[in-house]
Amino acid sequence: MKNRHNSTNSSSTDISITEKDSSKELKPDSAQRPPPSFAESEFHQIQRVQLTKSRANLLKWSNVPSRYLNLSNTWEFAGWGSTYYMELERSDIDHYTSEFEKKALLGKWRATSIAGNDLIASVLYSIGPCVVQAGKYAPISMLIVALLMYPMKRIITEVATAMPLNGGTYNALLNSTTKSTAAIAACLSILDYLATCVVSASTASAYLAAEVDLPNQLSPFLLTIVILIGFSLICLLGLKESSTLTLSIFTLHSVTMFVVMLMSFIMWGKMGSQTLIDNWKSAVPDANGASPAVMVLKGVCIGLLGVTGFESAENYIEDLKPGTFPKVMNNMFGFLFALNAPMTLLVTVLVPVPVIMANAANAVSVLGEYATGGDRWLRIWIMVDAVIVLCAGVLTGLIGAIGLVQRMASDGILPKFFLIRNRITGSYQYIILVFLVLSITLYAIVGGDTTSLSGVFAVAFLGSLSTFAVANIMIKYKRGRLPRLSKEWLFTDILTLFALLGSLIGNVIIDPEIAEYFVIYFVVVLLVVLAMLKRCWLWKLSYWLYDQMNLSNRFPVFSEKVEKFIQGHIKKIRKSPIVFFLKTDEPHVMNKAIQYIKKNEDAGCIKFIHFYQRLDSVPEDLEANHRILDAIYPKIQIDLIFVLEEFTPATVDAVSRQLDISKSQMFMACPGTNFKYSFGDFGGVRIIML
């Protein structure tokens, strides 16, 4: 990197005094003006000293009293900022294009299969509970769920195409609200993926144990752990290889569901609609005598758990080919609409409602047996398919977690070691291993009983789905200029949000213990995430508490070691600089960027970078306003860098590589509709203002 420094450290202000021509006649009042007073002369001297005073100290300083009465606070102050020019090497600019061409991207069917396995597998465990709550009205409930997912599909597409980065709603809220708000949304997603892995694996093992006599050494508890380990190892092979397996499983399950529906329609044609008529003539199966409307609403609340995976595709959007995501969401909605409600209808057409209620956990298997007139071949086929596709749900949870944790680690919320890739497969090995350990630990803590985890899963999933509507509302309000492939009405966003929140509340009313389990798990995850997010503040709090003990006089050597230890951790956190790409010289814009960084990041250095292509296009007050702001914030070093290049993804990538600053630590204002690049092309640069 070639830097040509024009440091403001040694800059001074030149005063040029222009005297009037002595030949000009003085005005009468000027001739009679009295000589300056002593105070006025003294003021002019002060003025000259202020204008010519240089910055003698290397660090900024403030005479404001420190909160630390016994310990030093010099570590709080930063150095003076500098102004310099940075020249980008052509090889660094070309590196972006070459790396992008090497990246393996997924097509629409591979991408659909990753999230789609979780989605189409949910029909296996959602139909039975839906019939338990809604009885004969279950098909109506499932149809309402499918119709609700149409605006949800458009909302997710709008959010994802406006901000096409891995991380789901965490990424969307990070670019439209505060970092703390995004972290809370991330906790919901982490719980969702964790519960998805454990519940899918345990359900698969329980499904297998119910149909097959397992060896004594292979209990369902041990089989669940084997499934978790096996699919974690598959995930270590990399996303491309994982998608090959998920596509195979997705194809198998689609064929299985087609055969089940075909055989059911054939049996319906042979046997007629007598079972359906009997189901509708039977008394309402509700002990409390609930009205049909209430039963339908309860069925909707439970039926929404049958769309898990619908939100997952956004977590690996960076690995999709351009323009693929809307096609993936269309595929997902198509399979949902074609499977859930029709399959529920076929269950009530061929199977008596009391039988469904007695076999709620494997209602589709029972349907397979009825569809073949009592033969078990289709039921066994469904069992094998169910085990395989539920195991693929573990892979879906892992892939979603990888995208989210990788993004959070890039933003400094989680440790940086999560970003280390496997040298052979390129997978994020530490994310996978840590998530595997957490899944096994969580499963062991509940002793294999996933009842509590199922409750956590229900609330976390519906909460995570609701945050998409919230994120879309915030994007419309704060990032309305961002281009996107589709745009949903604000009124639709609000109605969808209320429908999802109502379903979440409905699940809690149906089973109040869900709320208790969810709060316990959520608080634990939230405390871990917030501790990482606020770790600099926690070290400062520790420093202040130690200062209050006043041990420096009694134990000077020990006190000095503790003081340096805490200071070292604070400096280590604050040493990572933040970049803001600056287009204007307006001081309120520059100050707004600094204020955002102060509130959301732990940075002791901010670098304003201005791209320009012509000298006359550089804002004239940029350097002057930079110097003022540098003096206003004594605890932050503010640099100003000029780059003679166009602002493009390639030049941003070159700046990131030459300054050794992650793109997730680079911020920008919201681009307009005429901006010729997609926001996702910048690879993680964050939008922090309009």
Side-chain angles (χ1 to χ4, degrees), residues 293-314:
V294 173
M295 295 181 67
V296 168
L297 289 176
K298 285 185 175 181
V300 169
C301 294
I302 298 298
L304 274 168
L305 300 181
V307 298
T308 56
F310 200 74
E311 82 294 3
S312 298
E314 212 268 342

Side-chain angles (χ1 to χ4, degrees), residues 118 125 191-193 195-197 199-200 305 308-309 452-463 518:
D118 198 13
Y125 55 79
L191 275 181
D192 182 14
Y193 298 135
T196 296
C197 289
V199 171
S200 296
L305 300 181
T308 56
S452 62
L453 277 179
S454 298
V456 173
F457 171 68
V459 177
F461 167 69
L462 292 172
F518 173 76

